[in-house]
């Protein structure tokens, strides 16, 4: 975990997604006991669409390199900053470095944005379904929806083990229905996401129908997409991002 020194060699001057850029950590915000948000200054960032991700590179003093994909949590705002939200994976090389070593002022390298398929420009009704850190790209969509004052319908179902493990809990609003799998506040049922959670939304779809965005582990993505199809969502209007 401590293998990575702050990379000194920095790439880039261009804004293209194919170019590595230096990102300087400016702020760390705790979200839950094992999840934190890392705000990065990326002056040459070309912008992104909500739902896109980037490739992040850490380089150790001995030249060893680790690269991981991370969704962009922040809405596109032209500020030259982006935010990533990382779950601390046990013994994880990159997430472990961020959670235990990284400090404001440290630099990493990023390349992106990547993947247009999971992007939501805000042009169609969106039904967001996530679990755990799968909520990260969906939060970018919600933030974009709010920042732009969009009228297009947006709803989110998010699964978390408990209220304490619900990422962005204080930011979630009426668009979000949390589903708790291990423990819940008094009066709130405990259990897995089921068709009962989706059926009311799919029974009366908005004009144009929902575009469903599913994000989480392989297992969750499989489970949620089956539920969507069972509840009547057309398969060709389901987009899936797997973190597994
Ligand atoms: C498109 C995409 C977007 C992603 N966005 C995010 C994001 O926004 N936030 C985020 O936290 N992660 C995200 N991930 C996952 C991320 O890329 C890494 O896999 C994760 O941070 C673990 O990397 P690591 O170096 O810490 O762990 P590693 O050193 O790679 O793995 C350590 C151990 O943990 C296991 N492991 C690896 N990944 C996971 C996992 N996700 N859950 C459980 N066990 C695991 C490995 O099998 C291994 O045993 C995303 C993945 C993809 C493909």
């Amino acid at each position: 975990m401590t293998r990575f020194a702050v990379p000194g060699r920095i790439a880039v001057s261009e804004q293209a997604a194919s170019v590595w850029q230096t990102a300087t950590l400016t702020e760390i915000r705790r979200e839950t006991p094992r999840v934190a948000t890392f705000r990065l200054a990326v002056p040459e960032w070309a912008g992104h669409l909500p739902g896109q991700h980037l490739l992040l590179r850490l380089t150790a003093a001995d030249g060893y390199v680790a690269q991981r994909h991370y969704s962009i949590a922040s809405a596109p705002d032209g500020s030259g900053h982006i935010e990533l939200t990382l779950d601390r994976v046990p013994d994880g090389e990159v997430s472990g470095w961020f959670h235990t070593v990284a400090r404001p002022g440290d630099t990493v390298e990023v390349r992106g944005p990547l993947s247009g398929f999971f992007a939501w420009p805000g042009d169609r009704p969106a039904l967001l379904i996530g679990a755990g850190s799968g909520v990260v790209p969906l939060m970018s969509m919600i933030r974009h929806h709010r920042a732009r004052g969009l009228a297009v319908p947006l709803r989110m179902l998010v699964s978390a083990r408990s209220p304490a493990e619900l990422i962005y809990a204080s930011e979630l609003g009426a668009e979000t229905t949390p589903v708790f799998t291990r423990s819940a506040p008094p009066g709130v049922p405990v259990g897995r996401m089921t068709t009962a959670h989706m059926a009311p939304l799919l029974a009366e779809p908005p004009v144009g129908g929902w575009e469903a965005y599913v994000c989480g582990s392989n297992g969750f993505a499989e489970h949620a997409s089956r539920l969507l199809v069972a509840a009547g969502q057309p398969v060709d209007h389901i987009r899936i991002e797997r973190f597994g």
Side-chain angles (χ1 to χ4, degrees), residues 26-80:
T26 59
E27 185 188 340
I28 303 174
R29 290 199 311 272
R30 182 136 302 281
E31 303 284 358
T32 74
R34 50 175 266 188
V35 174
T37 290
F38 300 86
R39 186 170 176 81
L40 300 162
V42 193
E44 303 297 323
W45 186 247
H48 62 277
L49 291 171
Q52 288 190 290
H53 65 271
L54 53 69
L55 194 55
L56 184 142
R57 179 161 82 181
L58 293 182
T59 306
D62 62 4
Y64 174 80
V65 170
Q67 295 185 175
R68 301 288 184 273
H69 292 277
Y70 289 105
S71 296
I72 301 162
S74 45
D77 60 7
S79 68

Side-chain angles (χ1 to χ4, degrees), residues 118-200:
F118 201 72
W120 180 71
D123 58 346
R124 68 198 75 175
L127 178 55
L128 317 180
I129 301 179
S133 56
V135 72
V136 175
L138 311 182
M139 194 65 212
S140 176
M141 298 175 190
I142 290 176
R143 288 169 167 161
H144 180 64
H145 189 264
R146 290 181 189 160
R148 296 289 168 93
L150 299 178
V152 64
L154 183 83
R155 296 294 306 273
M156 180 161 77
L157 289 175
V158 61
S159 175
R161 288 190 198 93
S162 68
E165 291 176 87
L166 180 62
I167 304 170
Y168 311 126
S170 64
E171 258 191 85
L172 302 177
E175 81 290 315
T176 299
T177 304
V179 178
F180 297 111
T181 58
R182 299 269 173 83
S183 65
V188 176
V190 174
R192 290 185 91 192
M193 200 177 279
T194 67
T195 41
H197 294 104
M198 297 176 186

